[in-house]
Amino acid sequence: MSGGGLGTALTQWRRRWRLPEMKLLFLALLVSAMAVASVGFFTSRVEQAMLSQASQMLGGDLVLESARPFSPDYRAEAESLQLHQAESIHFRSMVAVGDRFQLVAVDAVSDAYPLRGQFEVADSPGAPARAMARSELRAGEVWAGQRLFTELGVRPGDTIQLGQRTFMLRQVLVRDPVAGDSLFELAPALIMPLADLESTGLLSPASRARFQLMFAGPPARIDALRTRLAPRLETTERIRSLADGAPTIRQSYERANRFLGLAALFSVVLAGAAIALTAASLIRHETPTVAVLKAFGLQRRTILRDYLTSLWGLALLAAGAGALLGYGLQWLVGGWLGSFAGIELPPAHWQPLLVALLTALVMVTGFSLPYLFNLMDTPAMQILRGNLHPRHPLGWLLALCILPAVFILLWLQAGELKLALWLFLGLLAGLLAFWGVTRLALAGLLRLGLRPGWEWLAPLRHSRRSSLLVVVFATGLFTLLLLASLRTDLVGRWQDSLPVDAPNYFLINIQPEERAELERFLAEKSLKANLFPMIRGRLTRINGEPVTVEQYADPRSRRLLEREFNLSELVTLPASNRLLAGAWFPQPGTPGLTVEEGIAESLRFRLGDRLTFDVAGQVFEEPVTSIREVRWDSMEPNFFVAASGGALERMPRTFITSLYIPPGQEDIVSQLVRGFPGVTVIDTGAILAQVRELVGQATFAVQGIFLFTLVAGVVVLFAALQSQRPERRRELAVLKSLGAGHRLLQRRIWLEFLLLGGLAGLLAGLLAMLGSNLAGIYLFSLDVRLNPLLLLAGTVSGALLVGAAAWFNLRGLLDTPPMDLFRG
Amino acid sequence: MDTPVLRADTLNKTLVMNQGADSGPNGPLTILKQVSLTVPPAGSLAITGASGSGKSTLLGLLAGLDEPSSGSVELFGESLSGKTEDQRAALRLGRVGFVFQSFHLLEHLTALENVMLPLELAPHPASDLRARAEQALVEVGLKQRLHQPVVRLSGGEQQRVALARAFVIRPGLLFADEPTGNLDRATGHEVVERLFALQHDYQTSLVLVTHDETLAARCEHWYRLVDGRLEAVQP
């Protein structure tokens, strides 16, 4: 209690532990730590799984790309950081078999390639695929894509000529994990050992080739390498990492990550509310004790130190236990995933443990300090006067302690200052809105309650208490409704974006004269396909000024300008696109261009800018009339720049389309290839499978983490009820002594909490409707949808949940004799 | 003559009910006027008075729980004037005992733990505090109740625990505020007997605030608070 050292502190702690509030506080801290830790552990595992999935598409954790060979310094740098390395050189060449020739896309790769993911090969075309390491390919052997076998009529074991030497076609390449980037590679793929490249004599300093260096290793060392290399890169060199990986993967990953982050954050806020309520109720309970201790001569700083020591001890214990339980929980979920869903998660990081401990300490300190300061100032005189009522902390004191604590918690979870700041302001605005609307609504109800026939509203008369309950319940319900709504939208959106019949083949190079016949062929096979024109043009001027690569510093812009754009004509806005600015073409043939958001940003296009394109010598100029966001994971043809339908009629063009060919009907592909020899067929099934796997992981994570938030929400509900239990006890004692029977009290409790819960649910539903739309637009790129069902769901679930929880919490008091209630 | 344990000199206590009003129903309310008293070592003093006469306010001032509007209090020869709340608390620590009308035991603790509490407050708690607390409880006749949570004890037993808690530190001065106020006659009598016995055994000075004039008559000095002033009564 005072200066007695650890032994005395432990004794005090053990005694204080007998207080029911200490146990509730422990429970609240335990659940919050459990939520934070399990969410943290689980998120880190899913994040790693998703990153590793994304790494596979990149071939490593960090990739350097250039049109020229790299300086050996880069490799030395990576070696000093003990990172794994692999190398590839990509170029096009002709393969000859007798007098037949075929253009191929060659990847000459080192033994370790790819650092993430695996090749899949088959012994003959159509045979089952199996994983195989590149090192199993011996010198003088190559793997080639199925199309090379079809086009040249060769079989595995046959010999091909590549440059100055011959190679043996060892197996059929079924899957190159690093295909995400070269989806639209027209030529069949060919994988050969890097060591054999020189002997082919194909690569000279003037050759057009893409050089890649890949690195893999622990994230911290990868970051270190990026930091070291970034300032030394030539303008022709660029770094690619998971963050700027293939757009297909990136969007799904980012959305899932944002949702998980948001859910973790909400569970912290909810747990914080539970702890604030319980800490306040603990301190209230301790007021008489402190008055007695002060009369006996205890000083204020001793009191503060004593309580803080007790609370910190409790926080550490609860957080440790909670983190362990959280670890166990996510371990079970991870194991379940492994056995049922076939998804292997990597082991968790230890950081969530630290976050859970810090969270518990910040919560217990920030939320109890204002009450502790007040407790210290309890006048000892109160003990003589008998008015042992706890004082309410001053508003500024509450704000000074609780607000920074909340901000730190948000920061800990969000991991980034700016986001934490926005969330903090949003939370404050939300709470103020809840408080204001609640006060207004309760004032209205109470006014109504004064009228004859409306006396049943009387239980709400304790308006401060009722307001507090409504705000706490509404916050909890809002969180749950918002997450539920986002989760449904998000998961639904992912599933919609990858329906069972998502396109798995692309057809390109369709000549205009083949179009009608191809459409007929597809209709005969009952295949749906929408053919888009594809016009290849080079951007030459912006607003009349010539465009040169030198005007742009960043490699992406330079690369875009070096290549030809795939332009198209669009009659309607594709389902996977969303208009961000400007207006869609009022009718086909209208002048104007619609531009994808990312490219508009890279090349600094603004609405109204006039762009000049050169299409095989024909020049046209159109203004930018709209900017679109494109969902790249739709697996449909998408275009950076497009004109309205028919506007580019005079320009030379081919057509492109995507198709879904159901499993077992792959012979249609062969018929296509034979019937339309000029058309290039690209199999995107492999990339689709990767995206599906990723979406499966993300969906599961989202569902699982939502459950943890639900648990945190229920704890808040009970903490709020428990914090008002002593007051309820006295109230019930008085009502019972005045003659209120069991049934009357029962009805009163149900009525009060159904009303409060319903009101809280209605408010929560309203704000969730607004919040889910805001979050949908700004965080998840989902469409705005006002869902009135949220209001109904909020009101009904609020009334029932709160009513039932209150009944559960207070039913014991109903059976207690009034004298026992008075005694406390 | 020995230094008095407690000396109050012309104490006044005025409460400002409503700022800005100098007189009338909302003006300052004078509770204590020119109160002076002295308690010698091992002496006993009773203060009686009607409800609301200011007895508890006076007790609070004497114990240093509150500050007078004017006048001074000396505790163990040290003036309380100008001392902060914490400095006044330090002066009481280990030397002043309290017995309250509503007992004010800590509900979540056992009888023994409640009695150990004042001993544990010392900067360097003694190693035999448990034995001393047990002894104190034996002296008030609660040998069989040491490990009972206090909420399970009767009113009389709870007040005996409070007596043990007050005397366990062998206080130089004990303040008792209506010690029998919440007890029936027979139980109250028993508690009072023990109170005076302990006071005698430990040579503790006693300041007793009570309604009960029979009880007051057992003290060496008896004052009645009338209209904020102390009037001596001959026991």
Side-chain angles (χ1 to χ4, degrees):
Chain A
M1 184 63 53
S2 59
L6 188 65
T8 319
L10 277 177
T11 310
Q12 291 308 325
W13 197 86
R14 196 168 43 79
R15 286 184 195 161
R16 213 162 267 153
W17 172 248
R18 291 179 211 154
L19 294 171
E21 284 85 354
M22 277 302 254
K23 294 192 178 95
L24 192 71
L25 193 61
F26 180 81
L27 188 72
L29 283 164
L30 181 84
V31 172
S32 70
M34 203 164 96
V36 169
S38 55
V39 166
F41 284 131
F42 193 62
T43 315
S44 85
R45 291 181 70 183
V46 171
E47 199 171 309
Q48 285 182 72
M50 289 205 264
L51 283 177
S52 104
Q53 192 77 21
S55 305
Q56 286 190 23
M57 299 191 89
L58 211 57
D61 300 335
L62 186 84
V63 176
L64 274 184
E65 214 172 85
S66 174
R68 286 200 292 270
F70 292 101
S71 141
D73 292 359
Y74 297 169
R75 291 191 193 93
E77 214 46 276
E79 257 163 42
S80 73
L81 287 164
Q82 293 174 307
L83 291 168
H84 298 290
Q85 298 185 38
E87 193 178 348
S88 87
I89 300 172
H90 180 89
F91 59 97
R92 290 183 191 193
S93 186
M94 295 301 276
V95 160
V97 176
D99 55 355
R100 284 161 295 159
F101 292 91
Q102 171 67 42
L103 182 73
V104 286
V106 181
D107 274 302
V109 299
S110 63
D111 281 6
Y113 177 98
L115 295 171
R116 303 284 186 211
Q118 276 185 311
F119 283 116
E120 281 178 27
V121 299
D123 289 335
S124 59
R130 61 177 199 278
M132 193 171 272
R134 171 20 221 108
S135 51
E136 289 184 51
L137 198 59
R138 290 185 294 260
E141 292 178 349
V142 294
W143 288 323
Q146 172 133 15
R147 277 183 39 232
L148 184 83
F149 292 86
T150 318
E151 304 277 343
L152 291 177
V154 287
R155 300 186 52 76
D158 290 352
T159 304
I160 57 163
Q161 179 82 32
L162 181 67
Q164 296 167 4
R165 70 173 282 187
T166 56
F167 287 90
M168 197 258 277
L169 279 170
R170 169 94 180 272
Q171 274 131 338
V172 183
L173 177 70
V174 177
R175 179 172 178 245
D176 177 355
V178 197
D181 194 47
S182 48
L183 188 60
F184 291 96
E185 181 59 76
L186 306 184
L190 190 125
I191 305 286
M192 63 175 287
L194 183 64
D196 287 348
L197 182 60
E198 206 179 337
S199 61
T200 61
L202 285 173
L203 219 57
S204 68
S207 307
R208 282 177 65 95
R210 191 174 76 217
F211 294 80
Q212 286 192 317
L213 272 183
M214 287 137 177
F215 308 99
R221 286 195 226 151
I222 288 290
D223 285 347
L225 182 69
R226 178 191 265 270
T227 318
R228 289 189 202 176
L229 293 188
R232 290 157 54 180
L233 293 185
E234 307 281 335
T235 47
T236 54
E237 295 170 344
R238 68 175 183 135
I239 292 185
R240 292 172 63 205
S241 66
L242 306 176
D244 38 33
T248 327
I249 288 292
R250 203 173 62 218
Q251 278 189 345
S252 297
Y253 169 65
E254 277 176 3
R255 282 195 200 135
N257 222 12
R258 283 197 187 127
F259 183 89
L260 297 181
L262 201 67
L265 214 139
F266 278 162
S267 46
V268 168
V269 171
L270 284 181
I275 286 162
L277 287 166
T278 319
S281 118
L282 170 74
I283 302 297
R284 271 202 298 276
H285 189 281
E286 288 294 88
T287 303
T289 307
V290 167
V292 171
L293 293 175
K294 285 182 95 172
F296 278 121
L298 203 64
Q299 298 186 10
R300 290 186 306 174
R301 61 166 188 274
T302 319
I303 298 174
L304 182 67
R305 195 192 59 205
D306 267 4
Y307 278 92
L308 272 183
T309 314
S310 286
L311 289 176
W312 282 338
L314 188 80
L316 288 177
L317 202 68
L324 269 181
L325 283 172
Y327 185 84
L329 208 62
Q330 61 79 32
W331 184 77
L332 281 179
V333 172
W336 180 84
L337 257 183
S339 55
F340 287 92
I343 299 170
E344 280 300 330
L345 292 179
H349 281 311
W350 55 269
Q351 284 96 324
L353 175 71
L354 196 68
V355 175
L357 288 177
L358 269 176
T359 302
L361 281 178
V362 170
M363 275 180 175
V364 90
T365 312
F367 296 151
S368 62
L369 261 188
Y371 296 97
L372 275 179
F373 282 138
N374 249 37
L375 190 66
M376 283 187 321
D377 286 338
T378 302
M381 264 308 278
Q382 276 197 2
I383 207 87
L384 297 178
R385 298 214 175 99
N387 55 342
L388 283 166
H389 295 303
R391 302 182 318 155
H392 287 288
L394 298 169
W396 65 264
L397 192 61
L398 275 172
L400 205 69
C401 296
I402 290 186
L403 293 184
V406 170
F407 182 74
I408 293 173
L409 290 177
L410 292 179
W411 198 5
L412 269 176
Q413 274 303 310
E416 110 186 53
L417 188 63
K418 198 172 150 198
L419 181 63
L421 200 65
W422 277 114
L423 285 164
F424 180 68
L425 292 176
L427 189 74
L428 277 190
L431 284 178
L432 280 177
F434 275 146
W435 184 255
V437 176
T438 304
R439 296 297 288 198
L440 277 178
L442 278 176
L445 281 176
L446 291 182
R447 192 171 290 230
L448 197 64
L450 294 176
R451 296 197 184 162
W454 292 87
E455 298 80 5
W456 52 275
L457 289 171
L460 300 180
R461 278 198 191 125
H462 202 318
S463 86
R464 192 188 159 85
R465 180 174 79 185
S466 298
S467 305
L468 181 72
L469 284 179
V470 170
V471 171
V472 171
F473 295 155
T475 311
L477 287 166
F478 160 74
T479 306
L480 298 180
L481 285 173
L482 178 68
L483 287 184
S485 150
L486 282 177
R487 179 197 58 146
T488 314
D489 277 0
L490 201 61
V491 170
R493 178 64 173 272
W494 282 336
Q495 281 158 358
D496 286 354
S497 70
L498 291 173
V500 184
D501 57 353
N504 53 2
Y505 283 91
F506 269 78
L507 307 187
I508 62 174
N509 271 344
I510 304 164
Q511 299 305 316
E513 58 275 15
E514 286 177 312
R515 183 184 176 179
E517 203 186 329
L518 179 72
E519 280 177 332
R520 209 162 35 245
F521 171 83
L522 296 177
E524 268 172 30
K525 304 288 177 196
S526 310
L527 295 174
K528 280 183 292 177
N530 196 0
L531 270 68
F532 297 91
M534 192 149 104
I535 300 150
R536 295 178 74 87
R538 192 174 289 277
L539 178 69
T540 53
R541 286 169 188 273
I542 299 176
N543 293 327
E545 296 295 320
V547 179
T548 57
V549 174
E550 288 69 34
Q551 291 164 348
Y552 295 89
D554 81 294
R556 180 171 191 244
S557 310
R558 297 169 76 102
R559 214 157 35 90
L560 284 166
L561 287 176
E562 279 167 358
R563 295 194 313 206
E564 288 187 317
F565 278 73
N566 290 325
L567 307 166
S568 190
E569 291 172 350
L570 293 173
V571 177
T572 52
L573 184 69
S576 56
N577 286 209
R578 197 159 65 89
L579 211 57
L580 294 178
W584 190 249
F585 310 115
Q587 60 201 49
T590 320
L593 293 172
T594 175
V595 177
E596 189 262 345
E597 175 197 20
I599 205 164
E601 201 177 302
S602 291
L603 296 177
R604 303 194 285 271
F605 294 159
R606 274 184 291 273
L607 281 179
D609 280 354
R610 300 188 67 81
L611 309 183
T612 309
F613 286 93
D614 181 332
V615 180
Q618 296 191 52
V619 173
F620 73 89
E621 188 190 60
E622 295 284 352
V624 176
T625 52
S626 65
I627 293 177
R628 285 168 296 133
E629 180 187 60
V630 172
R631 236 179 55 219
W632 293 102
D633 54 11
S634 66
M635 306 303 290
E636 281 163 8
N638 277 305
F639 300 93
F640 283 138
V641 179
S644 78
L648 306 177
E649 216 163 15
R650 19 184 213 98
M651 301 294 155
R653 63 188 56 204
T654 59
F655 286 87
I656 176 172
T657 191
S658 60
L659 287 177
Y660 171 68
I661 297 179
Q665 295 186 30
E666 285 85 3
D667 60 315
I668 297 178
V669 182
S670 320
Q671 292 175 32
L672 246 171
V673 173
R674 279 197 303 274
F676 302 88
V679 173
T680 307
V681 182
I682 299 168
D683 180 359
T684 55
I687 192 168
L688 190 66
Q690 277 182 318
V691 174
R692 279 229 167 83
E693 197 176 328
L694 187 79
V695 165
Q697 287 171 355
T699 305
F700 189 85
V702 162
Q703 311 276 27
I705 282 171
F706 176 70
L707 266 183
F708 293 139
T709 316
L710 198 70
V711 173
V714 171
V715 175
V716 175
L717 195 66
F718 275 93
L721 291 169
Q722 187 65 28
S723 74
Q724 299 191 339
R725 206 174 141 96
E727 199 177 318
R728 297 264 167 202
R729 195 182 177 100
R730 282 193 296 278
E731 190 177 297
L732 282 176
V734 171
L735 289 172
K736 278 189 173 190
S737 62
L738 291 176
H742 193 280
R743 280 171 68 89
L744 177 80
L745 293 174
Q746 188 174 330
R747 204 173 58 226
R748 209 180 138 94
I749 289 178
W750 270 106
L751 194 70
E752 176 182 353
F753 284 96
L754 283 176
L755 278 170
L756 291 178
L759 182 61
L762 182 70
L763 288 178
L766 268 172
L767 212 68
M769 213 160 81
L770 188 77
S772 68
N773 281 308
L774 285 178
I777 295 168
Y778 291 109
L779 291 177
F780 300 106
S781 314
L782 297 171
D783 298 330
V784 179
R785 196 163 54 199
L786 287 176
N787 188 358
L789 208 64
L790 276 179
L791 292 186
L792 187 70
T795 312
V796 174
S797 66
L800 292 180
L801 205 68
V802 169
W807 173 243
F808 186 78
N809 186 256
L810 298 175
R811 74 189 196 294
L813 294 183
L814 285 185
D815 300 325
T816 312
M819 267 318 282
D820 290 350
L821 288 178
F822 272 123
R823 280 199 203 106
Chain B
M1 189 184 156
D2 291 339
T3 311
V5 170
L6 175 70
R7 179 154 65 193
D9 190 20
T10 57
L11 288 181
N12 287 292
K13 182 70 180 177
T14 305
L15 287 185
V16 179
M17 306 300 280
N18 192 356
Q19 281 183 344
D22 293 331
S23 60
N26 288 332
L29 178 71
T30 305
I31 301 173
L32 299 173
K33 297 171 192 161
Q34 304 291 319
V35 172
S36 299
L37 56 81
T38 304
V39 182
S44 60
L45 180 147
I47 300 164
T48 57
S51 289
S53 59
K55 300 189 296 291
S56 294
T57 306
L58 177 58
L59 190 69
L61 294 183
L62 296 177
L65 303 183
D66 198 5
E67 288 177 286
S69 306
S70 65
S72 65
V73 177
E74 268 180 29
L75 207 56
F76 305 112
E78 255 191 80
S79 170
L80 298 183
S81 306
K83 284 200 161 48
T84 63
E85 193 193 332
D86 279 347
Q87 287 166 334
R88 298 198 301 269
L91 206 56
R92 288 193 296 274
L93 190 63
R95 293 203 275 182
V96 174
F98 276 95
V99 176
F100 305 104
Q101 178 175 356
S102 308
F103 326 137
H104 292 307
L105 298 175
L106 306 192
E107 289 171 9
H108 58 286
L109 302 186
T110 63
L112 182 65
E113 287 166 344
N114 263 289
V115 178
M116 282 160 70
L117 199 65
L119 296 172
E120 291 164 351
L121 298 182
H124 303 289
S127 53
D128 62 342
L129 48 86
R130 186 190 164 103
R132 283 170 63 187
E134 278 177 3
Q135 179 58 33
L137 279 164
V138 170
E139 284 173 14
V140 295
L142 289 176
K143 191 179 176 185
Q144 308 303 321
R145 297 287 213 213
L146 297 182
H147 301 293
Q148 286 281 323
V150 288
V151 281
R152 297 216 199 119
L153 302 180
S154 70
E157 286 172 328
Q158 288 196 32
Q159 194 60 307
R160 279 193 275 157
V161 175
L163 279 183
R165 182 178 68 180
F167 278 103
V168 74
I169 52 169
R170 317 242 162 136
L173 176 61
L174 177 79
F175 291 101
D177 181 24
E178 301 279 11
T180 56
N182 277 6
L183 302 174
D184 62 61
R185 198 177 183 80
T187 315
H189 178 73
E190 191 197 332
V191 165
V192 165
E193 290 307 320
R194 287 188 189 276
L195 171 67
F196 279 105
L198 288 166
Q199 187 244 336
H200 178 263
D201 291 351
Y202 292 123
Q203 290 292 292
T204 301
S205 303
L206 172 69
V207 175
L208 175 71
V209 164
T210 182
H211 271 101
D212 186 347
E213 301 209 332
T214 331
L215 181 56
R218 295 187 59 170
C219 294
E220 293 161 7
H221 305 278
W222 175 3
Y223 293 98
R224 192 179 280 133
L225 248 182
V226 181
D227 201 17
R229 292 180 192 277
L230 272 191
E231 293 174 356
V233 182
Q234 283 307 317

